[in-house]
PDB file of all heavy atoms in Angstrom:
ATOM      1  N   GLY A 260      59.914 106.348 139.433  1.00  0.00           N
ATOM      2  CA  GLY A 260      58.514 106.621 139.744  1.00  0.00           C
ATOM      3  C   GLY A 260      57.664 105.803 138.787  1.00  0.00           C
ATOM      4  O   GLY A 260      57.881 104.609 138.614  1.00  0.00           O
ATOM      5  N   ASP A 261      56.749 106.477 138.079  1.00  0.00           N
ATOM      6  CA  ASP A 261      55.889 105.773 137.131  1.00  0.00           C
ATOM      7  C   ASP A 261      56.417 105.842 135.703  1.00  0.00           C
ATOM      8  O   ASP A 261      55.796 105.342 134.784  1.00  0.00           O
ATOM      9  CB  ASP A 261      54.477 106.389 137.153  1.00  0.00           C
ATOM     10  CG  ASP A 261      53.777 106.087 138.469  1.00  0.00           C
ATOM     11  OD1 ASP A 261      54.125 105.048 139.072  1.00  0.00           O
ATOM     12  OD2 ASP A 261      52.921 106.895 138.888  1.00  0.00           O
ATOM     13  N   GLU A 262      57.561 106.481 135.550  1.00  0.00           N
ATOM     14  CA  GLU A 262      58.044 106.723 134.197  1.00  0.00           C
ATOM     15  C   GLU A 262      59.093 105.704 133.767  1.00  0.00           C
ATOM     16  O   GLU A 262      60.073 105.448 134.471  1.00  0.00           O
ATOM     17  CB  GLU A 262      58.659 108.125 134.131  1.00  0.00           C
ATOM     18  CG  GLU A 262      59.026 108.557 132.741  1.00  0.00           C
ATOM     19  CD  GLU A 262      59.778 109.891 132.752  1.00  0.00           C
ATOM     20  OE1 GLU A 262      59.683 110.613 133.766  1.00  0.00           O
ATOM     21  OE2 GLU A 262      60.447 110.188 131.758  1.00  0.00           O
ATOM     22  N   LYS A 263      58.869 105.150 132.590  1.00  0.00           N
ATOM     23  CA  LYS A 263      59.877 104.253 132.015  1.00  0.00           C
ATOM     24  C   LYS A 263      60.909 105.135 131.332  1.00  0.00           C
ATOM     25  O   LYS A 263      60.597 105.843 130.376  1.00  0.00           O
ATOM     26  CB  LYS A 263      59.208 103.317 131.012  1.00  0.00           C
ATOM     27  CG  LYS A 263      60.160 102.331 130.397  1.00  0.00           C
ATOM     28  CD  LYS A 263      59.398 101.288 129.582  1.00  0.00           C
ATOM     29  CE  LYS A 263      60.071 101.093 128.248  1.00  0.00           C
ATOM     30  NZ  LYS A 263      59.152 100.942 127.156  1.00  0.00           N
ATOM     31  N   VAL A 264      62.127 105.103 131.832  1.00  0.00           N
ATOM     32  CA  VAL A 264      63.123 106.067 131.369  1.00  0.00           C
ATOM     33  C   VAL A 264      63.877 105.582 130.133  1.00  0.00           C
ATOM     34  O   VAL A 264      64.193 106.339 129.237  1.00  0.00           O
ATOM     35  CB  VAL A 264      64.130 106.397 132.496  1.00  0.00           C
ATOM     36  CG1 VAL A 264      65.149 107.417 132.023  1.00  0.00           C
ATOM     37  CG2 VAL A 264      63.387 106.912 133.723  1.00  0.00           C
ATOM     38  N   ASN A 265      64.165 104.309 130.090  1.00  0.00           N
ATOM     39  CA  ASN A 265      64.905 103.801 128.921  1.00  0.00           C
ATOM     40  C   ASN A 265      63.909 103.427 127.840  1.00  0.00           C
ATOM     41  O   ASN A 265      63.208 102.437 127.942  1.00  0.00           O
ATOM     42  CB  ASN A 265      65.764 102.598 129.306  1.00  0.00           C
ATOM     43  CG  ASN A 265      64.962 101.477 129.918  1.00  0.00           C
ATOM     44  OD1 ASN A 265      63.923 101.707 130.534  1.00  0.00           O
ATOM     45  ND2 ASN A 265      65.431 100.258 129.735  1.00  0.00           N
ATOM     46  N   SER A 266      63.859 104.266 126.798  1.00  0.00           N
ATOM     47  CA  SER A 266      62.767 104.108 125.846  1.00  0.00           C
ATOM     48  C   SER A 266      63.104 103.248 124.643  1.00  0.00           C
ATOM     49  O   SER A 266      62.225 102.659 124.030  1.00  0.00           O
ATOM     50  CB  SER A 266      62.306 105.478 125.369  1.00  0.00           C
ATOM     51  OG  SER A 266      63.433 106.221 124.958  1.00  0.00           O
ATOM     52  N   VAL A 267      64.368 103.178 124.293  1.00  0.00           N
ATOM     53  CA  VAL A 267      64.716 102.577 123.005  1.00  0.00           C
ATOM     54  C   VAL A 267      65.099 101.098 123.131  1.00  0.00           C
ATOM     55  O   VAL A 267      65.810 100.703 124.029  1.00  0.00           O
ATOM     56  CB  VAL A 267      65.867 103.371 122.361  1.00  0.00           C
ATOM     57  CG1 VAL A 267      66.231 102.794 121.015  1.00  0.00           C
ATOM     58  CG2 VAL A 267      65.466 104.825 122.227  1.00  0.00           C
ATOM     59  N   ARG A 268      64.605 100.324 122.174  1.00  0.00           N
ATOM     60  CA  ARG A 268      64.933  98.901 122.171  1.00  0.00           C
ATOM     61  C   ARG A 268      66.389  98.690 121.756  1.00  0.00           C
ATOM     62  O   ARG A 268      66.976  99.502 121.071  1.00  0.00           O
ATOM     63  CB  ARG A 268      64.053  98.176 121.149  1.00  0.00           C
ATOM     64  CG  ARG A 268      62.614  98.101 121.534  1.00  0.00           C
ATOM     65  CD  ARG A 268      61.741  98.180 120.303  1.00  0.00           C
ATOM     66  NE  ARG A 268      61.974  97.068 119.386  1.00  0.00           N
ATOM     67  CZ  ARG A 268      61.588  97.079 118.115  1.00  0.00           C
ATOM     68  NH1 ARG A 268      60.971  98.118 117.627  1.00  0.00           N
ATOM     69  NH2 ARG A 268      61.823  96.041 117.343  1.00  0.00           N
ATOM     70  N   ALA A 269      66.925  97.566 122.134  1.00  0.00           N
ATOM     71  CA  ALA A 269      68.275  97.218 121.699  1.00  0.00           C
ATOM     72  C   ALA A 269      68.164  96.582 120.318  1.00  0.00           C
ATOM     73  O   ALA A 269      68.224  95.373 120.168  1.00  0.00           O
ATOM     74  CB  ALA A 269      68.924  96.275 122.695  1.00  0.00           C
ATOM     75  N   LEU A 270      67.988  97.427 119.314  1.00  0.00           N
ATOM     76  CA  LEU A 270      67.722  96.914 117.968  1.00  0.00           C
ATOM     77  C   LEU A 270      68.810  95.971 117.470  1.00  0.00           C
ATOM     78  O   LEU A 270      68.548  95.047 116.732  1.00  0.00           O
ATOM     79  CB  LEU A 270      67.589  98.072 116.980  1.00  0.00           C
ATOM     80  CG  LEU A 270      66.390  98.993 117.115  1.00  0.00           C
ATOM     81  CD1 LEU A 270      66.281  99.862 115.891  1.00  0.00           C
ATOM     82  CD2 LEU A 270      65.114  98.201 117.314  1.00  0.00           C
ATOM     83  N   TRP A 271      70.042  96.246 117.886  1.00  0.00           N
ATOM     84  CA  TRP A 271      71.147  95.433 117.368  1.00  0.00           C
ATOM     85  C   TRP A 271      71.106  93.998 117.885  1.00  0.00           C
ATOM     86  O   TRP A 271      71.765  93.140 117.335  1.00  0.00           O
ATOM     87  CB  TRP A 271      72.492  96.088 117.685  1.00  0.00           C
ATOM     88  CG  TRP A 271      72.774  96.176 119.165  1.00  0.00           C
ATOM     89  CD1 TRP A 271      73.425  95.240 119.920  1.00  0.00           C
ATOM     90  CD2 TRP A 271      72.435  97.237 120.056  1.00  0.00           C
ATOM     91  NE1 TRP A 271      73.499  95.650 121.222  1.00  0.00           N
ATOM     92  CE2 TRP A 271      72.905  96.877 121.337  1.00  0.00           C
ATOM     93  CE3 TRP A 271      71.778  98.454 119.893  1.00  0.00           C
ATOM     94  CZ2 TRP A 271      72.720  97.693 122.447  1.00  0.00           C
ATOM     95  CZ3 TRP A 271      71.610  99.261 121.004  1.00  0.00           C
ATOM     96  CH2 TRP A 271      72.077  98.881 122.255  1.00  0.00           C
ATOM     97  N   HIS A 272      70.334  93.789 118.925  1.00  0.00           N
ATOM     98  CA  HIS A 272      70.197  92.428 119.437  1.00  0.00           C
ATOM     99  C   HIS A 272      69.077  91.671 118.728  1.00  0.00           C
ATOM    100  O   HIS A 272      68.893  90.491 118.944  1.00  0.00           O
ATOM    101  CB  HIS A 272      69.912  92.441 120.941  1.00  0.00           C
ATOM    102  CG  HIS A 272      71.164  92.362 121.761  1.00  0.00           C
ATOM    103  ND1 HIS A 272      71.643  91.186 122.275  1.00  0.00           N
ATOM    104  CD2 HIS A 272      72.039  93.324 122.123  1.00  0.00           C
ATOM    105  CE1 HIS A 272      72.765  91.434 122.938  1.00  0.00           C
ATOM    106  NE2 HIS A 272      73.025  92.714 122.860  1.00  0.00           N
ATOM    107  N   GLU A 273      68.310  92.397 117.933  1.00  0.00           N
ATOM    108  CA  GLU A 273      67.187  91.745 117.260  1.00  0.00           C
ATOM    109  C   GLU A 273      67.627  91.240 115.887  1.00  0.00           C
ATOM    110  O   GLU A 273      68.657  91.635 115.371  1.00  0.00           O
ATOM    111  CB  GLU A 273      66.038  92.758 117.132  1.00  0.00           C
ATOM    112  CG  GLU A 273      65.578  93.232 118.496  1.00  0.00           C
ATOM    113  CD  GLU A 273      64.457  94.264 118.424  1.00  0.00           C
ATOM    114  OE1 GLU A 273      63.803  94.347 117.370  1.00  0.00           O
ATOM    115  OE2 GLU A 273      64.272  94.964 119.426  1.00  0.00           O
ATOM    116  N   SER A 274      66.797  90.351 115.323  1.00  0.00           N
ATOM    117  CA  SER A 274      67.155  89.847 114.001  1.00  0.00           C
ATOM    118  C   SER A 274      66.758  90.879 112.960  1.00  0.00           C
ATOM    119  O   SER A 274      65.836  91.674 113.163  1.00  0.00           O
ATOM    120  CB  SER A 274      66.465  88.519 113.728  1.00  0.00           C
ATOM    121  OG  SER A 274      65.108  88.756 113.454  1.00  0.00           O
ATOM    122  N   LYS A 275      67.483  90.851 111.853  1.00  0.00           N
ATOM    123  CA  LYS A 275      67.291  91.863 110.813  1.00  0.00           C
ATOM    124  C   LYS A 275      65.840  91.988 110.374  1.00  0.00           C
ATOM    125  O   LYS A 275      65.343  93.089 110.176  1.00  0.00           O
ATOM    126  CB  LYS A 275      68.123  91.505 109.583  1.00  0.00           C
ATOM    127  CG  LYS A 275      69.558  91.889 109.698  1.00  0.00           C
ATOM    128  CD  LYS A 275      70.233  91.647 108.377  1.00  0.00           C
ATOM    129  CE  LYS A 275      71.709  91.388 108.611  1.00  0.00           C
ATOM    130  NZ  LYS A 275      72.416  91.063 107.401  1.00  0.00           N
ATOM    131  N   ASP A 276      65.165  90.844 110.198  1.00  0.00           N
ATOM    132  CA  ASP A 276      63.809  90.933 109.634  1.00  0.00           C
ATOM    133  C   ASP A 276      62.773  91.402 110.650  1.00  0.00           C
ATOM    134  O   ASP A 276      61.624  91.632 110.292  1.00  0.00           O
ATOM    135  CB  ASP A 276      63.381  89.610 108.983  1.00  0.00           C
ATOM    136  CG  ASP A 276      64.099  88.429 109.576  1.00  0.00           C
ATOM    137  OD1 ASP A 276      65.303  88.316 109.250  1.00  0.00           O
ATOM    138  OD2 ASP A 276      63.512  87.671 110.368  1.00  0.00           O
ATOM    139  N   SER A 277      63.177  91.551 111.921  1.00  0.00           N
ATOM    140  CA  SER A 277      62.208  92.057 112.884  1.00  0.00           C
ATOM    141  C   SER A 277      62.301  93.573 113.043  1.00  0.00           C
ATOM    142  O   SER A 277      61.559  94.170 113.808  1.00  0.00           O
ATOM    143  CB  SER A 277      62.404  91.380 114.243  1.00  0.00           C
ATOM    144  OG  SER A 277      63.605  91.830 114.825  1.00  0.00           O
ATOM    145  N   VAL A 278      63.238  94.186 112.336  1.00  0.00           N
ATOM    146  CA  VAL A 278      63.406  95.631 112.454  1.00  0.00           C
ATOM    147  C   VAL A 278      63.048  96.298 111.125  1.00  0.00           C
ATOM    148  O   VAL A 278      63.552  95.902 110.071  1.00  0.00           O
ATOM    149  CB  VAL A 278      64.865  95.983 112.831  1.00  0.00           C
ATOM    150  CG1 VAL A 278      65.003  97.491 113.056  1.00  0.00           C
ATOM    151  CG2 VAL A 278      65.307  95.220 114.073  1.00  0.00           C
ATOM    152  N   SER A 279      62.165  97.279 111.179  1.00  0.00           N
ATOM    153  CA  SER A 279      61.759  97.963 109.941  1.00  0.00           C
ATOM    154  C   SER A 279      62.734  99.093 109.625  1.00  0.00           C
ATOM    155  O   SER A 279      63.466  99.566 110.493  1.00  0.00           O
ATOM    156  CB  SER A 279      60.352  98.528 110.103  1.00  0.00           C
ATOM    157  OG  SER A 279      60.358  99.572 111.055  1.00  0.00           O
TER     158      SER A 279
END
Side-chain angles (χ1 to χ4, degrees):
D261 291 333
E262 188 186 341
K263 182 171 134 220
V264 181
N265 57 332
S266 50
V267 181
R268 291 146 62 197
L270 292 192
W271 64 91
H272 268 263
E273 299 179 19
S274 75
K275 279 187 207 176
D276 26 287
S277 70
V278 184
S279 67

